[in-house]
């Protein structure tokens, strides 16, 4: 698992490191430039010309010193300075490279196009506002040039607290992350503009970083294992899952969720849907035990875990099923239209997993989608405080929060933006809970496995081609 920190925390770690080293920041700036250069040298050994964009702050200082390392390695270095350095260390760095014969020039589109590599050392992690002129014109030119870009600590224009990319944010091929991974790399636009992230730890003692509580943890697929099944077991050993949904015209949603629940390993999977869906659902997946709402009371009593929402709708039928399910005191997985029911009649419960996407989260919080996306961490924590249980806030960098631990999923791709993908996740989490896995761990495992499998399918079939139902055949863990 990788700890993720905010820019504010990173600054605090930097200040503490300076204090321990008895340094004013110069040594750390040199280490940052050296380690970033090592990243470039490793990634592009055949390159010989780099164009370095330097800003007025400390990130610009990193860029000046990066130029020094590239120059010493025999590269043709062009330093582009938009405004003179303002930060004391950046002024010192600029003076040093000038003394070594490295020229500092104004912006040149021609020099940009002639470079093998562009180094973004404009603003780093401190920027949390849109880029104004002339900076946005420079970043536009970089993106239009379509050159390999190495961002030092953060692509200019990205808010590293939220992952929101302001207009004209530089799209980097790779990012050299100084000291620690920032949470903004893996949320919203972060993964689109950061490219591959390389940690440059500046040789700091790991205990220095570990003294700070990270904003979140991002798990790796290897951190999870599906429960092992004993030879001496039977279907009753792995729980009974009941999934409720599939109003008229939406049978596919409950079908996908139920099939995913089976594939996740639940011993018995039962479905409550419209009477007209009983035969087609059974024909689609013979292992499902399908009935309609006249059997609801008994099915609720028999279930180990209940999932409600996929294709549920908002009819009187849907509301009746929702209200009965919520009265059971069983473990619940609440998704889709069941979340919309909850938003209208909110209550707090400790034994459920809620899986909203941003629009559903906005309804639950009585906010706008923009407010949710501007601070997803605050949103997921507010949801958990208001509703209890475990919250999965879906999106780019899905968040899982149980009131104590916050996890961020760094897997997933744009191909997951298809109808039915959330239904698969609901069924997967439900199947894991049915087998006795805790709600929190099931949510973490489900989200990670779901997104990781999608990534493998995207590599095989392309993001546009694969379907949510393809995940049913390819759980990869």
């Amino acid at each position: 698992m990788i700890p993720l920190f905010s820019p504010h925390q990173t600054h605090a770690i930097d200040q503490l490191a300076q204090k321990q080293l008895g340094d004013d920041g110069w040594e750390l700036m040199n280490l940052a430039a050296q380690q970033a250069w090592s990243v470039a040298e490793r990634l592009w050994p055949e390159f010989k010309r780099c164009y370095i964009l330097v800003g007025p702050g400390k990130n610009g200082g990193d860029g000046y010193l990066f130029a020094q390392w590239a120059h010493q390695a025999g590269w043709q270095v062009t330093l582009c300075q938009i405004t003179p350095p303002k930060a004391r260390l950046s002024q010192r760095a600029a003076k040093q490279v000038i003394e070594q014969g490295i020229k500092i020039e104004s912006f040149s589109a021609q020099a940009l196009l002639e470079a093998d590599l562009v180094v973004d050392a404009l603003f780093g992690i401190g920027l949390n506002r849109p880029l104004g002129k002339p900076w946005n014109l420079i970043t536009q030119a970089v993106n239009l040039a379509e050159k390999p870009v190495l961002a030092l600590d953060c692509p200019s224009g990205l808010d590293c607290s939220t992952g929101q990319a302001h207009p004209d944010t530089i799209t980097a091929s790779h990012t050299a992350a100084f000291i620690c991974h920032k949470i903004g790399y893996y949320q919203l636009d972060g993964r689109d503009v950061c490219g591959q992230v390389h940690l440059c730890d500046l040789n700091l003692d790991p205990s220095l970083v570990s003294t700070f509580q990270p904003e979140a943890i991002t798990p790796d697929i290897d951190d999870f294992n599906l429960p092992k099944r004993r030879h001496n077991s039977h279907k009753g050993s792995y729980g009974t899952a009941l999934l409720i949904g599939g109003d008229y015209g939406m049978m596919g949603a409950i079908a996908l969720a139920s099939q995913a629940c089976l594939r996740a390993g639940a011993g018995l999977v039962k479905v409550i849907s419209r009477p007209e869906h009983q035969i087609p659902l059974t024909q689609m997946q013979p292992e499902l035990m399908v009935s309609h709402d006249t059997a609801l009371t008994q099915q609720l009593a028999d279930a180990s875990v209940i999932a409600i929402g996929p294709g549920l709708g908002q009819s009187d039928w849907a509301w009746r099923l929702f209200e009965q399910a919520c009265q059971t005191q069983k473990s619940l997985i609440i998704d889709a239209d069941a979340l919309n029911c909850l938003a209208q009649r909110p209550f707090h419960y400790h034994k459920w997993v809620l899986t909203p996407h941003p629009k559903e989260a906005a309804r639950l919080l009585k906010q706008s989608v923009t407010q949710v996306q501007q601070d997803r961490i605050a949103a997921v924590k507010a949801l958990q405080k208001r509703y209890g249980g475990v919250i999965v806030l879906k999106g780019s960098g899905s968040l899982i929060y149980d009131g104590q631990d916050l996890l961020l999923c760094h897997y997933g791709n744009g191909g997951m933006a298809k109808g039915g993908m959330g239904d698969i996740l609901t069924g997967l989490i439900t199947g894991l809970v049915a087998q006795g896995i805790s709600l929190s761990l099931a949510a973490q495992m489900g989200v990670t496995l779901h997104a990781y499998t999608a990534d493998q399918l995207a590599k095989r079939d392309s993001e546009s081609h694969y379907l949510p139902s393809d995940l049913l055949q390819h759980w990869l863990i």
Side-chain angles (χ1 to χ4, degrees):
M1 293 191 178
I2 301 172
L4 305 177
F5 295 88
S6 69
H8 177 75
Q9 288 175 311
T10 307
H11 177 71
I13 295 168
D14 180 82
Q15 293 298 306
L16 183 58
Q18 290 181 37
K19 185 177 180 180
Q20 288 189 354
L21 292 169
D23 175 44
D24 63 355
W26 180 250
E27 182 178 343
L28 292 177
M29 182 177 281
N30 274 275
L31 283 168
Q34 180 184 359
Q35 292 187 8
W37 163 248
S38 295
V39 171
E41 194 174 33
R42 183 177 73 252
L43 290 173
W44 300 288
E46 73 283 6
F47 286 3
K48 290 300 178 185
R49 294 176 296 180
C50 64
Y51 193 70
I52 306 174
L53 298 161
V54 290
K58 288 183 65 177
N59 196 240
D62 299 327
Y64 288 115
L65 296 181
F66 181 99
Q68 175 180 281
W69 285 98
H71 177 72
Q72 290 173 1
W75 281 37
Q76 179 183 324
V77 177
T78 303
L79 263 171
C80 170
Q81 181 191 89
I82 313 303
T83 61
K86 296 179 180 179
R88 178 180 53 81
L89 292 180
S90 298
Q91 293 172 347
R92 179 177 173 183
K95 182 175 182 292
Q96 181 167 295
V97 298
I98 291 172
E99 290 172 351
Q100 294 185 9
I102 301 173
K103 292 184 179 181
I104 298 176
E105 304 176 1
S106 57
F107 178 75
S108 164
Q110 184 63 36
L112 171 67
L113 293 172
E114 290 175 352
D116 298 317
L117 173 67
V118 177
V119 177
D120 171 18
L122 288 174
F123 289 108
I125 65 174
L127 191 72
N128 57 7
R129 64 185 186 279
L131 294 161
K133 292 183 179 179
W135 311 104
N136 63 325
L137 302 178
I138 304 299
T139 58
Q140 287 174 20
V142 171
N143 289 335
L144 287 171
E146 296 185 339
K147 295 284 184 177
V149 176
L150 175 65
L152 302 190
D153 215 16
C154 179
S156 294
L158 177 70
D159 187 327
C160 257
S161 295
T162 66
Q164 180 183 7
H166 296 293
D168 303 318
T169 293
I170 284 181
T171 299
S173 314
H174 297 263
T175 295
F178 299 147
I179 299 178
C180 56
H181 291 264
K182 285 74 175 179
I183 196 163
Y185 297 160
Y186 304 103
Q187 286 198 101
L188 298 180
D189 306 304
R191 291 183 61 205
D192 289 315
V193 301
C194 287
Q196 186 176 350
V197 177
H198 307 265
L199 180 62
C200 301
D201 62 11
L202 312 194
N203 300 336
L204 298 183
D205 187 333
S207 64
L208 178 66
V209 177
S210 64
T211 58
F212 291 80
Q213 179 69 33
E215 284 274 317
I217 300 293
T218 180
D220 189 77
I221 191 65
D222 295 331
D223 295 324
F224 301 112
N225 290 294
L226 289 173
K228 292 184 178 180
R229 300 171 86 92
R230 293 175 57 85
H231 290 286
N232 185 23
S233 62
H234 52 83
K235 60 192 177 188
S237 304
Y238 304 105
T240 298
L242 175 64
L243 293 95
I244 303 170
D247 202 352
Y248 297 124
M250 295 183 285
M251 186 189 79
I254 198 66
L256 287 171
S258 302
Q259 290 173 307
C261 188
L262 279 169
R263 292 289 181 181
L268 287 171
V269 179
K270 300 181 179 182
V271 180
I272 294 287
S273 190
R274 288 288 191 176
E276 293 84 347
H277 297 157
Q278 189 167 0
I279 292 176
L281 280 171
T282 306
Q283 290 175 329
M284 183 184 299
Q285 192 71 55
E287 295 87 350
L288 296 176
M289 304 170 68
V290 187
S291 54
H292 50 84
D293 56 295
T294 57
L296 180 59
T297 302
Q298 186 59 52
Q299 300 287 39
L300 290 172
D302 293 341
S304 309
V305 57
I306 301 159
I308 182 167
L312 183 67
Q314 293 280 285
S315 65
D316 291 343
W317 174 82
W319 272 99
R320 180 163 50 83
L321 296 178
F322 172 75
E323 289 173 349
Q324 285 187 253
C326 290
Q327 292 170 4
T328 63
Q329 305 300 306
K330 299 283 184 79
S331 294
L332 300 172
I333 315 299
I334 308 291
D335 185 35
D337 278 318
L339 290 169
N340 296 326
C341 292
L342 181 62
Q344 295 179 56
R345 298 181 189 175
F347 66 97
H348 191 280
Y349 185 53
H350 68 287
K351 287 176 59 179
W352 60 15
V353 179
L354 310 185
T355 61
H357 55 56
K359 191 171 184 178
E360 291 162 343
R363 293 192 191 108
L364 289 165
L365 291 172
K366 308 295 191 257
Q367 295 180 354
S368 67
V369 174
T370 299
Q371 286 174 301
V372 169
Q373 294 293 74
Q374 282 178 340
D375 194 339
R376 285 170 54 83
I377 293 175
V380 76
K381 290 183 175 180
L383 285 166
Q384 202 283 329
K385 183 177 181 180
R386 182 173 298 185
Y387 293 97
V390 182
I391 310 297
V392 174
L393 179 55
K394 296 184 288 194
S396 179
S398 291
L399 298 171
I400 307 102
Y401 184 60
D402 61 5
Q404 292 185 325
D405 298 319
L406 177 63
L407 276 82
L408 182 151
C409 179
H410 69 277
Y411 298 111
N413 58 79
M416 299 178 74
K418 298 185 178 83
M421 196 63 75
D423 304 315
I424 297 286
L425 177 61
T426 294
L428 176 53
I429 295 173
T430 305
L432 295 172
V433 174
Q435 295 169 76
I437 297 174
S438 71
L439 292 172
S440 183
L441 182 56
Q444 295 169 19
M445 289 180 65
V447 170
T448 304
L449 176 55
H450 183 248
Y452 177 81
T453 304
D455 282 348
Q456 305 313 301
L457 288 172
K459 291 176 183 177
R460 189 193 71 178
D461 296 334
S462 84
E463 293 184 1
S464 301
H465 181 74
Y466 75 89
L467 300 175
S469 56
D470 293 335
L471 273 70
L472 297 170
Q473 309 296 327
H474 296 91
W475 290 151
L476 298 171
I477 194 168

